[in-house]
């Protein structure tokens, strides 16, 4: 995970999902649609229509871009905003990403593959 920017205007994070493809088939991941939660409180929907090719017998990094505004975080309480600035605070913040995406090959598409992930912001930043 990359913390790209933290300011009074926005908190900008990129989550890089490691996708390991052990099969002999190259495929694409597209139409990502996720709900973002902090400490089990819904924050916003994010997604990407961008296609990312996952090579056969390879590992690919799949980006998901998340931008929060202070207004969105105020709904959670100012404490969470302040927690982003310290390592101890980031350990208290649990990020959950839940949604789906489409996997496609040249022969077929499989839509609405479910996905769920949850961990602390501190742990995520140390992967």
């Amino acid at each position: 995970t990359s913390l790209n920017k933290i300011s009074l205007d926005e908190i900008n994070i990129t989550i890089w999902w490691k996708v390991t493809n052990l099969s002999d088939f190259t495929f694409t991941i597209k139409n990502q649609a996720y709900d973002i939660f902090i400490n089990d409180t819904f924050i916003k929907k994010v997604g990407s229509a961008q296609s990312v090719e996952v090579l056969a017998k390879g590992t690919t990094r799949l980006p998901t871009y998340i931008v929060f505004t202070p207004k969105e975080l105020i709904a959670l309480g100012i404490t969470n905003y302040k927690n982003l600035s310290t390592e101890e605070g980031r350990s208290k913040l649990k990020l959950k990403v839940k949604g789906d995406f489409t996997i496609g090959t040249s022969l077929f598409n499989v839509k609405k593959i479910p996905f769920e992930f949850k961990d602390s912001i501190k742990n995520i930043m140390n992967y």
Side-chain angles (χ1 to χ4, degrees):
T1 300
S2 305
L3 180 58
N4 305 319
K5 180 179 180 182
I6 184 167
S7 72
L8 294 175
D9 298 323
E10 73 178 39
I11 297 95
N12 185 317
I13 299 170
T14 303
I15 298 177
W16 294 95
W17 306 105
K18 181 179 174 184
V19 180
T20 302
N21 181 6
L22 301 176
S23 77
D24 294 327
F25 300 99
T26 294
F27 61 88
T28 58
I29 293 178
K30 55 188 172 186
N31 301 325
Q32 299 177 70
Y34 306 115
D35 292 332
I36 304 298
F37 300 84
I38 294 182
N39 293 343
D40 291 322
T41 300
F42 175 78
I43 303 297
K44 71 184 321 179
K45 274 195 167 310
V46 298
S48 175
Q50 173 187 0
S51 292
V52 177
E53 188 174 56
V54 179
L55 298 175
K57 304 277 187 199
T59 300
T60 302
R61 290 174 32 133
L62 178 71
T64 299
Y65 307 103
I66 303 170
V67 178
F68 301 112
T69 65
K71 182 180 178 182
E72 290 167 322
L73 290 178
I74 286 172
L76 290 172
I78 197 69
T79 303
N80 289 329
Y81 179 73
K82 289 179 183 176
N83 281 339
L84 284 171
S85 64
T86 68
E87 187 172 330
E88 181 182 341
R90 288 188 292 267
S91 68
K92 297 176 186 175
L93 295 175
K94 306 298 184 209
L95 176 74
K96 180 166 80 171
V97 179
K98 185 175 181 175
D100 56 59
F101 54 87
T102 299
I103 291 180
T105 69
S106 59
L107 301 174
F108 65 88
N109 281 322
V110 178
K111 296 182 179 188
K112 305 275 186 191
I113 304 294
F115 176 83
E116 185 170 337
F117 172 84
K118 185 175 182 178
D119 203 347
S120 73
I121 297 292
K122 177 186 173 189
N123 288 345
I124 292 167
M125 291 181 74
N126 291 316
Y127 288 154

